[in-house]
Amino acid sequence: MAVTSATLLITVLTVVFNAVARQHLEHQADNDLRTRAAAVATTIDTSGPVVRIHEGAHDDLLDSNVWIYAGTRLIEQPPNATAVNRVGRAARTLATAGGQGCATTGGPRPVRLCTLRLPGRAGGAGIVTAIDLTPYQSSANTLLYGSLALDAVMLACTYALTRLAVGRALRPVGAMTDQATQWGAVTTGQRFGEAHLPAELACLGTSLDALLDRIRALLRHERQLTAELSHELRTPLSRIIAELDWWQPRPRTTDDTRATHLVISQAAASMHTICDTLLRDAREGLPTAPGTALMLPTLRRTVQQLNLPDHVTLTATSQDPHVQAGVGAALLERIVSPLLANSLRHARSQVAMHARHDTDGVHIDVTDDGPGVPPAFTGDLFVPGRRAEPTDGHDGAGLGLPLARRLARSVGGDVHYDEQHTPGARFTVRLPPA
């Protein structure tokens, strides 16, 4: 594109330059002819009844290519007039036409002619001078060929400089492309950055870095969702495995088989509900479906789905049997289940749930009589993947409490840990009222 644009511009400039140069050369030839005609006019006397020419010692040089007419009568012509009949006819035409002007004859050797009128008593005189345009045309052709050669050099330089400039400008793009090729599939922490990049590419690098960050965030979200699904599905899956292990070793009665099938069906339904709840919450930009749930029945149903240790007693109470939360029952179970599982794991003998009204919504307190949370770990309590005692023999992934808080916040609620409660631990779930 640069070479094409330069070619068009140079072509226009070359045409204009050569047209002006030829016009200038023609004007220069006309000036030479008029100067010679004025010099010849000093030797002509038109004051009398007859036009007279005063010959000098070196007038033969002055008379070269000069025609003098008295009116329409030729009184003097160049010595070699027989050799220039074509020019002589053109000179006669100019002389007899009257006035002053210039003309160019055609042919292989063009000639330029100009006429000068001298007034007088006998009709005056006309002086026609001629000059061969071959030298002028040669100069014009030389200018044309020189300009074409200069154009070629300029186009070559334009191509080379443009290619060099574009190559240098695109070098950072090539470097960024090589970096992107060498990097892993968005698992690397490397970024393009803004250093040593032109302003436009620095902006592009910033945009690409932001895009990579969003991709990494989506991958983290996907991994977190997978981990949360695994964490939440472990309990109902364990119930299914336990029922199958209990039912398979020896023949069972019809009632035993029916009871086992019922437990497996309930666990499968629970797994289905867990998947729907978590996947619905994972859809970005879509709010959790609104709903209401009676607190006490939902809490008791959640208790029934848990495998209680033999040494722990779990109670569920409510300030008002009819207190309702402004969330669906399935979501309420998913919020409370990780808190209950955590309390049952650390409790010595008792876990209690209590639902109550408050000024900012409905609250559920989950309290146990265990050792509580170590003070040094309270800041990381809701950080995904962090555990207070990784070597306690429990196979948890540290995702339950963060999941409960995230689900609660998705509906405008929250989950807090009460650091002032002793002994044991107390977690409070706040949810919007119905």
Side-chain angles (χ1 to χ4, degrees):
M1 291 180 64
V3 172
T4 301
S5 301
T7 301
L8 294 176
L9 178 61
I10 289 176
T11 300
V12 172
L13 293 178
T14 301
V15 171
V16 172
F17 170 76
N18 282 276
V20 171
R22 288 181 180 275
Q23 187 69 25
H24 176 72
L25 291 174
E26 185 177 281
H27 182 69
Q28 184 177 354
D30 292 347
N31 289 338
D32 291 343
L33 291 174
R34 292 190 181 97
T35 300
R36 182 181 296 181
V40 173
T42 60
T43 65
I44 300 175
D45 182 9
T46 58
S47 60
V50 178
V51 176
R52 295 184 179 183
I53 301 174
H54 301 287
E55 298 289 345
H58 302 286
D59 284 346
D60 53 340
L61 298 176
L62 189 63
D63 293 340
S64 176
N65 293 330
V66 175
W67 290 260
I68 302 176
Y69 285 84
T72 59
R73 182 173 58 86
L74 179 63
I75 60 176
E76 187 173 312
Q77 63 181 357
N80 56 348
T82 56
V84 288
N85 290 335
R86 173 174 55 85
V87 180
R89 289 194 299 271
R92 181 177 181 82
T93 301
L94 280 176
T96 56
Q100 303 185 33
C102 296
T104 302
T105 63
R109 295 179 64 87
V111 176
R112 184 72 173 173
L113 299 99
C114 287
T115 180
L116 176 64
R117 300 297 301 179
L118 298 178
R121 291 170 55 188
I127 303 172
V128 179
T129 54
I131 190 171
D132 188 0
L133 290 180
T134 302
Y136 294 92
Q137 286 191 341
S138 177
S139 298
N141 292 335
T142 301
L143 288 175
L144 175 62
Y145 298 145
S147 62
L148 291 178
L150 181 61
D151 292 347
V153 173
M154 291 181 63
L155 287 177
C157 293
T158 300
Y159 174 79
L161 293 177
T162 304
R163 186 177 182 86
L164 178 62
V166 172
R168 290 178 62 87
L170 293 180
R171 191 175 301 166
V173 179
M176 294 172 67
T177 303
D178 294 338
Q179 290 177 4
T181 303
Q182 295 173 2
W183 292 347
V186 302
T187 58
T188 177
Q190 294 176 298
R191 292 294 181 266
F192 293 105
E194 302 180 5
H196 310 296
L197 290 178
E200 297 81 359
L201 294 183
C203 181
L204 175 61
T206 302
S207 300
L208 293 177
D209 289 344
L211 179 61
L212 290 175
D213 290 335
R214 288 196 294 271
I215 294 175
R216 286 175 61 85
L218 289 175
L219 291 177
R220 286 196 302 269
H221 182 73
E222 180 182 353
R223 288 194 293 267
Q224 181 181 359
L225 176 61
T226 303
E228 290 172 351
L229 283 172
S230 302
H231 181 274
E232 290 298 304
L233 294 176
R234 183 182 294 118
T235 299
L237 185 59
S238 298
R239 294 185 63 189
I240 293 175
I241 295 174
E243 288 294 330
L244 291 176
D245 289 343
W246 174 83
W247 181 77
Q248 288 176 346
R250 60 183 183 277
R252 297 294 178 179
T253 65
T254 303
D255 293 338
D256 292 338
T257 302
R258 185 179 299 108
T260 300
H261 288 173
L262 179 60
V263 172
I264 294 176
S265 177
Q266 292 175 348
S270 176
M271 294 173 68
H272 185 270
T273 302
I274 291 172
C275 291
D276 286 345
T277 303
L278 293 180
L279 290 176
R280 183 168 57 249
D281 176 72
R283 297 190 185 102
E284 294 184 355
L286 294 178
T288 304
T292 59
L294 285 171
M295 301 285 284
L296 190 55
T298 303
L299 295 179
R300 288 176 176 173
R301 185 168 55 249
T302 304
V303 171
Q304 293 174 359
Q305 295 175 359
L306 296 175
N307 293 324
L308 299 180
D310 296 335
H311 66 283
V312 177
T313 301
L314 176 59
T315 61
T317 59
S318 176
Q319 181 185 38
D320 180 357
H322 304 290
V323 63
Q324 291 184 338
V327 298
L331 183 59
L332 178 58
E333 292 180 13
R334 297 278 63 75
I335 295 174
V336 175
S337 293
L339 301 178
L340 284 177
N342 185 74
S343 295
L344 290 173
R345 185 180 310 120
H346 297 95
R348 292 188 175 92
S349 61
Q350 186 177 5
V351 175
M353 290 190 300
H354 180 69
R356 56 187 172 85
H357 281 289
D358 208 333
T359 56
D360 56 348
V362 294
H363 289 223
I364 303 172
D365 296 325
V366 181
T367 308
D368 66 72
D369 58 354
V373 178
F377 186 71
T378 55
D380 296 330
L381 191 58
F382 294 97
V383 177
R386 300 296 302 274
R387 295 175 56 192
E389 297 180 8
T391 60
D392 59 0
H394 171 58
D395 59 350
L399 297 173
L401 297 180
L403 173 63
R405 169 173 277 187
R406 185 167 66 84
L407 292 177
R409 288 180 173 178
S410 69
V411 293
D414 207 344
V415 176
H416 294 285
Y417 170 68
D418 187 359
E419 299 183 23
Q420 304 300 324
H421 178 78
T422 57
R426 173 186 289 174
F427 290 88
T428 299
V429 180
R430 178 179 58 82
L431 297 173

